[in-house]
């Protein structure tokens, strides 16, 4: 009897890179490779992926529909914080990696694999996200990152390797360097190739799931999103599961050209990188969530969330989803959402998603306090007088000192 081969679980997309990695792992480690492909709603036929893996001799092929898990356990918790990295990026790739890592680690445990492997390059953020998550979930798991290990240094060498081993290469992969694209239910990101020069305007053909706002319908469309405890639960009165809901918002957003962002971001590994993102449903959802929070969150609670949000975003961006500090922040964010329920109406029109109405049975908005008409008496105008006097005291001292000290120095005068 021959000894069973050791196993490695590979995150497999079916693309050129991970197909070459599959073969390379088999040859280099003389091991059995188990493939894991997450159906994250990337809108790609999954059948050919199975065939490709079969052709490469894989016996244990896992293709798992994780769309609900992705939106319910990763996207929605993140959206409770109104998360944006560096003010613009909705973290569509960043938030998918910990989910994939968790599945890789679980499968590794199940089949008794010695290691997991991924196709992220040595220059990007994704390697961090896969590996830091794996470290946190199973301290004993080994991670093999071929792009950092093997002697393939270029796309040309990658293609040569594929040709030598009869791995199918898509036509457009032979010529010019392709774009690096990552897609899931939350977004599509496009990087590399001509986009590497941030001074070059992205050509329109790179956009995949949104129309150019210029070509979007001339008629605005109104959509009503229902929220329960911080999560979106319905669209136009129809209750949907998390993945169904995001799919529907993607359809609406795509049609109206919503959620295109062309940006330069600071990668965690030190360099700047230019990317083009399309996050149609997520962009609508962020606006809607802010809309419902605007009437249901107390001021100090809302401001505290806003202060912490960039920290939380940086954690997710840097691969620290499974970390004590992210969990602590999540507990705080989740606690804030208890009364974030109600309905938000948005108008979608040529690239924009604007909140036009909001209502909630848990609203803190007090019409009789704010009204220009006669109110209930809970607010006494004289209180405002004293309030302003006390706050103005230090400003008066400051202004008096400045006028005595004469004209200021430098550009902006005295401070
Ligand atoms: N720059 C983005 C991020 O770090 C997107 C990365 C997408 N990954 C890819 N394989 N193209 O989150």
């Amino acid at each position: 009897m021959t000894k069973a081969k050791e196993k490695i679980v590979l995150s497999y997309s079916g693309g050129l890179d991970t197909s070459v990695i599959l073969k390379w792992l088999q040859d280099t480690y003389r091991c059995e490779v188990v493939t894991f492909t997450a159906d994250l709603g990337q809108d790609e036929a999954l059948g050919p992926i199975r065939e490709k893996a079969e052709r490469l001799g894989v016996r244990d092929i896992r293709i798992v529909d994780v769309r609900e898990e992705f939106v319910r356990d990763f996207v929605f918790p993140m959206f409770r914080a109104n998360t944006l990295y560096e003010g613009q990026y909705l973290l569509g790739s960043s938030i998918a990696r910990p989910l994939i890592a968790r599945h890789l680690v679980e499968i590794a445990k199940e089949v008794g694999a010695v290691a997991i492997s991924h196709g992220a390059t040595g220059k990007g953020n994704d390697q961090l996200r896969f590996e830091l998550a794996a470290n946190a979930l199973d301290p004993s798991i080994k991670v093999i990152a071929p792009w950092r290990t093997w002697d393939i240094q270029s796309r040309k060498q990658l293609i040569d390797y594929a040709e030598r081993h009869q791995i199918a290469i898509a036509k457009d992969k032979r010529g010019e360097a392709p774009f690096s694209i990552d897609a899931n239910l939350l977004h599509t990101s496009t990087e590399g190739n001509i986009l590497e020069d941030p001074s070059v305007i992205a050509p329109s053909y790179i956009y995949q799931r949104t129309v150019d706002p210029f070509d979007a319908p001339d008629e605005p469309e109104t959509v009503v999103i229902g929220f329960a405890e911080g999560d979106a639960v319905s669209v136009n009165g129809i209750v949907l599961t998390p993945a169904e809901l995001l799919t529907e918002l993607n359809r609406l957003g795509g049609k109206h050209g919503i959620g295109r962002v062309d940006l330069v971001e600071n990668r965690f590994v030190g360099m700047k990188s230019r990317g083009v993102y399309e996050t149609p449903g997520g962009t609508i959802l962020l606006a809607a969530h802010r809309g419902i929070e605007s009437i249901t969150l107390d001021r100090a609670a809302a401001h505290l969330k806003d202060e912490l949000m960039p920290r939380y975003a940086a954690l997710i961006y840097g691969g620290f989803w499974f970390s004590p500090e992210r969990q602590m922040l999540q507990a705080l964010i989740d606690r804030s959402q208890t009364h974030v329920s109600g309905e938000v109406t948005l108008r979608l029109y040529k690239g924009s998603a604007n909140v036009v109405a909001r209502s909630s049975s848990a609203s803190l908005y007090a019409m009789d306090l704010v009204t220009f008409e006669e109110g209930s008496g809970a607010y006494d105008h004289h209180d405002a007088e004293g309030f302003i006097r006390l706050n103005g005291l230090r400003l008066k001292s400051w202004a008096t000192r400045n006028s005595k000290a004469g004209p200021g120095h430098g550009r902006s005068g005295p401070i």
Side-chain angles (χ1 to χ4, degrees):
M1 226 175 78
T2 51
K3 204 170 135 255
K5 280 187 184 171
E6 285 191 328
K7 292 180 182 173
I8 297 174
V9 186
L10 169 66
S11 174
Y12 184 61
S13 72
L16 177 62
D17 293 37
T18 50
S19 294
V20 169
I21 287 173
L22 207 178
K23 180 78 187 131
W24 182 84
L25 289 173
Q26 291 166 332
D27 291 353
T28 309
Y29 296 93
R30 305 258 152 236
C31 64
E32 180 183 341
V33 177
V34 176
T35 59
F36 169 68
T37 307
D39 175 5
L40 286 155
Q42 55 269 52
D43 237 5
E44 213 181 291
L46 298 166
I49 296 180
R50 178 173 295 281
E51 278 166 40
K52 279 185 196 165
E54 271 168 4
R55 232 178 294 137
L56 285 158
V58 181
R59 281 184 304 165
D60 193 349
I61 300 165
R62 317 264 178 127
I63 300 175
V64 185
D65 181 352
V66 295
R67 287 175 296 173
E68 289 296 346
E69 179 190 350
F70 176 49
V71 183
R72 187 190 60 226
D73 298 343
F74 293 84
V75 175
F76 276 7
M78 178 170 81
F79 270 74
R80 286 174 213 146
N82 303 318
T83 317
L84 281 177
Y85 179 67
E86 295 183 340
Q88 299 188 84
Y89 174 34
L90 279 151
L91 295 172
S93 293
S94 329
I95 193 65
R97 303 311 183 205
L99 177 149
I100 295 170
R102 184 160 82 187
H103 280 267
L104 293 174
V105 168
E106 277 167 8
I107 296 169
K109 278 205 180 113
E110 184 196 320
V111 303
V114 290
I116 60 171
S117 181
H118 63 75
T121 68
K123 274 195 174 179
N125 297 310
D126 288 328
Q127 52 178 343
L128 290 155
R129 297 168 185 150
F130 284 128
E131 296 179 38
L132 295 177
N135 290 164
L137 295 169
D138 180 354
S140 67
I141 197 85
K142 271 198 280 191
V143 185
I144 301 171
W147 273 113
R148 300 199 304 255
T149 316
W150 63 20
D151 41 23
I152 296 177
Q153 296 300 334
S154 65
R155 292 218 70 80
K156 164 102 182 43
Q157 289 171 10
L158 189 78
I159 288 167
D160 288 348
Y161 188 101
E163 274 171 351
R164 274 203 308 281
H165 295 90
Q166 283 95 48
I167 294 167
I169 306 163
K171 267 225 182 66
D172 60 331
K173 301 257 154 131
R174 283 178 193 273
E176 257 182 80
F179 291 100
S180 173
I181 295 169
D182 182 49
N184 58 44
L185 260 188
L186 183 54
H187 88 168
T188 299
S189 82
T190 310
E191 295 175 351
N193 203 342
I194 46 171
L195 296 179
E196 276 175 7
D197 181 347
S199 71
V200 171
I201 297 177
S204 55
Y205 65 78
I206 66 157
Y207 292 96
Q208 316 210 348
R209 58 202 284 176
T210 52
V211 301
D212 187 327
F214 194 80
D215 301 321
D218 291 327
E219 282 302 308
E221 184 165 353
T222 296
V223 58
V224 181
I225 302 180
F227 283 88
E229 295 183 29
D231 292 341
V233 292
S234 66
V235 175
N236 293 330
I238 299 165
V239 174
L240 299 169
T241 66
E244 287 170 354
L245 188 134
L246 191 51
T247 304
E248 174 60 4
L249 294 186
N250 280 335
R251 186 187 70 76
L252 290 165
K255 172 177 160 194
H256 290 280
I258 292 162
R260 290 183 170 193
V261 182
D262 180 327
L263 58 78
V264 173
E265 73 204 49
N266 291 293
R267 283 195 191 155
F268 200 33
V269 287
M271 76 278 273
K272 290 188 186 293
S273 103
R274 191 268 191 97
V276 173
Y277 298 95
E278 293 169 88
T279 319
T283 301
I284 299 173
L285 195 56
L286 174 65
H289 187 256
R290 279 208 171 268
I292 193 65
E293 281 194 335
S294 71
I295 55 168
T296 54
L297 275 194
D298 164 67
R299 177 182 69 184
H303 290 190
L304 180 60
K305 281 189 76 217
D306 277 347
E307 281 174 42
L308 295 172
M309 184 278 278
R311 288 280 295 274
Y312 177 82
L315 289 177
I316 297 175
Y317 188 81
F320 295 96
W321 177 261
F322 297 112
S323 69
E325 64 275 28
R326 202 281 304 173
Q327 287 173 357
M328 288 164 64
L329 283 176
Q330 193 71 55
L332 178 142
I333 292 156
D334 290 353
R335 178 74 171 82
S336 75
Q337 300 293 291
T338 314
H339 298 292
V340 180
S341 305
E343 289 191 333
V344 177
T345 307
L346 299 103
R347 188 170 293 151
L348 315 179
Y349 180 64
K350 290 197 180 289
S352 65
N354 292 319
V355 173
V356 291
R358 60 306 262 159
S359 65
S360 169
S361 59
S363 178
L364 292 168
Y365 194 98
M367 222 121 72
D368 61 337
L369 275 184
V370 77
T371 182
F372 287 103
E373 309 305 322
E374 205 175 322
S376 65
Y379 187 91
D380 185 339
H381 292 265
H382 296 104
D383 293 344
E385 224 172 284
F387 183 69
I388 294 165
R389 202 179 304 128
L390 291 184
N391 276 287
L393 203 54
R394 51 175 271 268
L395 298 177
K396 284 184 179 174
S397 305
W398 173 72
T400 309
R401 189 275 316 270
N402 291 345
S403 66
K404 277 194 204 135
H409 310 283
R411 278 183 299 161
S412 45
I415 290 177

